[in-house]
Amino acid sequence: MDEQLSIRSFPRAIVHFDGDAFFASVEQMLNYKLKGKPVVTGKERNIAASMSYEAKRMGVTRGMTVQEIKKVCPQAIILPSDYETYSIFARRMYEIVRMFTPDVEEYSIDECFADITGLKTHYKMSYEEIALMIKKELELRLGVTFGVGLAPNKVLAKVGSKWQKPAGFTVIPAKDAHIFLKELPIGKIWGIGSSTSVFLHKLGIRSALDFALKPLSWLEYHKLSKPYKEIWYEMRGEYVKKLVTETNDEVGSIIKSRTFTPATSNRQFVFSQLSKNIENACIKARRHGVLIRAISFYLKTQDFRYKGMDIELPVATCSPVEIVNVVSKYFNQVYSAGEKYRASGITLRSLIDQGSMSLDLFGESHRAQNSGKIFETIDTLNHKYGKHTVFLGSSFTAMVEKQHQGDRGDVPIRKNHLFLGESARKRLDIPFLGKAH
Ligand SMILES: [Mg+2]
């Protein structure tokens, strides 16, 4: 019964995470002296970009000039933006959420979506409990609070994360969507801009529910384009707007990449990270029933330079073993000893339907397809017993090594240990390592 109710309420379980007053909160996190004080960032542009809740309570709003801020809140601490540090926190946020589910959309510097559909059996928890668990982990590890919404789709999850502030958690099952939409002006819905909002007002739409209750023919009559129809479907509880968890180009490709911290020159480690990316990308390829004819792989250096290679595969395949073998042949042309790397990535290209495979000489494709079958079995095992129950030997270091000179994003990290990049670490040293002032 509970299961049935849950399927009806969450045919998909989408969570939206939104950092509260993110930039200002990061500043407060990095300097305890700022805690509890009205902090505003954006000094370099003379405009408030982000305000702590203390500043908001004093009447500071986004876009105010420094002069205006000083008028309403003379004690405001106005700081220049430090985007590098904020983006390190953003990366951490994505990586923490990815410890719980691979399906994460990096929506913006302080927001992401996660698809946790089907993870209830894995975690033996309800969707609410899973979402709350991720929220707690984010808040514990980043020291920033998050507004979190759990819903059957992105539009409603966004409504949820904004519902209570700060540190809110709002669950919107499909069957209750109307309760929330009734109270929400249409212009507050994600994707409804001010001109559309004015247009809809003229047609008598006030609340989001007014819009959701219109029939589809009404939308068509008023020539509302596809993005608005998608919003309309989602307000009615359907899942239409897919998560963008990787980039898909027009011919169709699958991309998996992973940043590791700190940067490393350990060849085995870098290769195993790449191998793991390949495994994950192939899982996706098999899920979509496609074979891969070409790949690109790259390594990204500590100072953000990319080096990579494009390779045509001898036979179309969906087997990570075949691809890891090919990559291992060329790896040394990309990797140079002594260079420090911060990320690796793989793109599977020239994808074709498994069904459309034509016969080739020497039965090569037959062999590749057979090893594809082995991986289908592995997929079943992994699905049954948890992701990465079975994995390639070449991914071993990435899968098993618990610590790599401290911490990495893709293994559970020690509690209360912040894992940050160089510049942020410099800033962190003062307030966090317990030095006397
Ligand atoms: Mg935010």
Side-chain angles (χ1 to χ4, degrees):
M1 179 63 201
D2 180 43
E3 185 66 16
Q4 270 195 344
L5 184 69
S6 163
I7 287 168
R8 244 188 303 128
S9 297
F10 296 104
R12 297 291 285 235
I14 307 298
V15 195
H16 182 245
F17 300 92
D18 186 351
D20 292 322
F22 196 64
F23 302 166
S25 300
V26 169
E27 294 294 347
Q28 288 180 320
M29 175 63 195
L30 293 178
N31 182 353
Y32 72 98
K33 289 176 183 166
L34 300 177
K35 290 238 161 93
K37 297 196 177 141
V39 174
V40 182
T41 70
K43 191 179 185 180
E44 77 288 352
R45 284 170 55 223
N46 197 38
I47 272 173
S50 167
M51 304 75 60
S52 69
Y53 277 85
E54 296 82 4
K56 283 181 188 177
R57 272 197 292 274
M58 302 289 295
V60 182
T61 56
R62 186 173 294 163
M64 270 188 178
T65 63
V66 168
Q67 293 70 26
E68 288 167 332
I69 297 166
K70 284 190 172 148
K71 232 176 265 167
V72 298
C73 180
Q75 68 275 46
I77 300 159
I78 307 170
L79 301 169
S81 309
D82 174 1
Y83 287 104
E84 200 200 332
T85 297
Y86 308 151
S87 66
I88 288 166
F89 268 74
R91 293 237 70 82
R92 293 304 172 209
M93 162 178 75
Y94 311 142
E95 283 168 19
I96 291 163
V97 180
R98 279 205 184 91
M99 298 194 318
F100 298 91
T101 169
D103 297 319
V104 176
E105 176 177 337
E106 300 177 1
Y107 180 69
S108 75
I109 197 162
D110 69 335
E111 293 172 58
C112 66
F113 291 98
D115 188 341
I116 58 169
T117 311
L119 291 180
K120 281 193 301 179
T121 26
H122 180 80
Y123 288 111
K124 298 188 176 62
M125 288 176 169
S126 67
Y127 287 134
E128 289 87 338
E129 287 168 330
I130 296 169
L132 262 179
M133 169 172 71
I134 304 174
K135 173 177 155 71
K136 280 191 188 133
E137 203 68 22
L138 282 169
E139 293 176 345
L140 177 72
R141 292 185 192 278
L142 296 178
V144 171
T145 59
F146 280 79
V148 178
L150 164 67
N153 57 50
K154 285 164 83 172
V155 167
L156 293 175
K158 268 266 202 186
V159 170
S161 67
K162 299 236 174 326
W163 199 255
Q164 309 166 59
K165 282 180 163 193
F169 176 63
T170 303
V171 181
I172 307 184
K175 63 176 174 49
D176 295 340
H178 62 279
I179 300 168
F180 293 83
L181 298 179
K182 198 175 157 194
E183 306 204 4
L184 216 56
I186 184 66
K188 292 275 182 196
I189 293 288
W190 176 47
I192 305 276
S194 54
S195 58
T196 308
S197 175
V198 169
F199 172 75
L200 292 173
H201 265 250
K202 281 183 190 150
L203 297 172
I205 305 286
R206 290 287 175 274
S207 72
L209 186 64
D210 292 340
F211 184 60
L213 288 177
K214 290 289 179 196
L216 187 57
S217 56
W218 183 90
L219 275 77
E220 274 159 2
Y221 179 80
H222 291 290
K223 298 192 171 36
L224 285 158
S225 60
K226 193 175 164 220
Y228 302 107
K229 282 185 192 160
E230 289 181 349
I231 293 167
W232 177 83
Y233 275 117
E234 295 223 330
M235 289 201 288
R236 296 165 72 100
E238 309 226 8
Y239 174 75
V240 185
K241 291 160 79 78
K242 303 275 177 285
L243 266 67
V244 185
T245 55
E246 66 281 302
T247 329
N248 290 310
D249 64 30
E250 67 286 356
V251 290
S253 64
I254 295 170
I255 299 174
K256 291 281 172 188
S257 62
R258 184 70 74 113
T259 304
F260 26 92
T261 311
T264 176
S265 55
N266 181 329
R267 187 186 184 282
Q268 193 195 351
F269 177 79
V270 176
F271 187 80
S272 74
Q273 287 287 334
L274 187 55
S275 169
K276 199 174 143 201
N277 290 332
I278 293 169
E279 274 197 82
N280 284 334
C282 288
I283 289 172
K284 180 122 193 167
R286 294 194 294 275
R287 206 194 294 157
H288 288 277
V290 292
L291 294 174
I292 302 129
R293 279 182 182 284
I295 59 158
S296 307
F297 75 95
Y298 74 83
L299 301 179
K300 184 177 170 191
T301 65
Q302 190 176 26
D303 53 348
F304 292 88
R305 280 176 294 116
Y306 286 86
K307 199 173 172 198
M309 269 187 101
D310 301 328
I311 306 164
E312 302 289 318
L313 297 177
V315 288
T317 181
C318 59
S319 150
V321 174
E322 308 274 340
I323 295 173
V324 168
N325 280 342
V326 170
V327 167
S328 70
K329 274 186 213 157
Y330 295 97
F331 188 71
N332 279 346
Q333 295 185 30
V334 171
Y335 171 85
S336 49
E339 185 91 74
K340 281 197 169 179
Y341 296 99
R342 62 158 68 224
S344 68
I346 182 85
T347 305
L348 309 180
R349 297 181 290 113
S350 305
L351 306 179
I352 48 165
D353 262 6
Q354 259 173 15
S356 71
M357 265 304 292
S358 58
L359 286 172
D360 59 346
L361 293 172
F362 315 117
E364 276 289 306
S365 64
H366 187 66
R367 186 170 63 81
Q369 278 191 311
N370 273 347
S371 84
K373 286 227 170 63
I374 294 170
F375 284 99
E376 276 166 28
T377 311
I378 291 175
D379 289 344
T380 313
L381 285 172
N382 284 341
H383 185 73
K384 205 162 165 187
Y385 299 107
K387 207 182 169 216
H388 301 302
T389 299
V390 184
F391 54 85
L392 291 184
S394 52
S395 308
F396 186 74
T397 311
M399 293 304 301
V400 173
E401 196 178 277
K402 284 276 186 284
Q403 296 291 326
H404 165 70
Q405 298 171 28
D407 294 305
R408 289 205 331 272
D410 54 357
V411 287
I413 31 205
R414 278 171 288 154
K415 291 262 182 229
N416 299 324
H417 191 278
L418 278 162
F419 41 117
L420 290 168
E422 277 310 313
S423 74
R425 203 175 288 142
K426 262 182 223 149
R427 301 191 55 193
L428 263 175
D429 275 344
I430 309 154
F432 276 97
L433 299 182
K435 285 179 189 157
H437 292 277

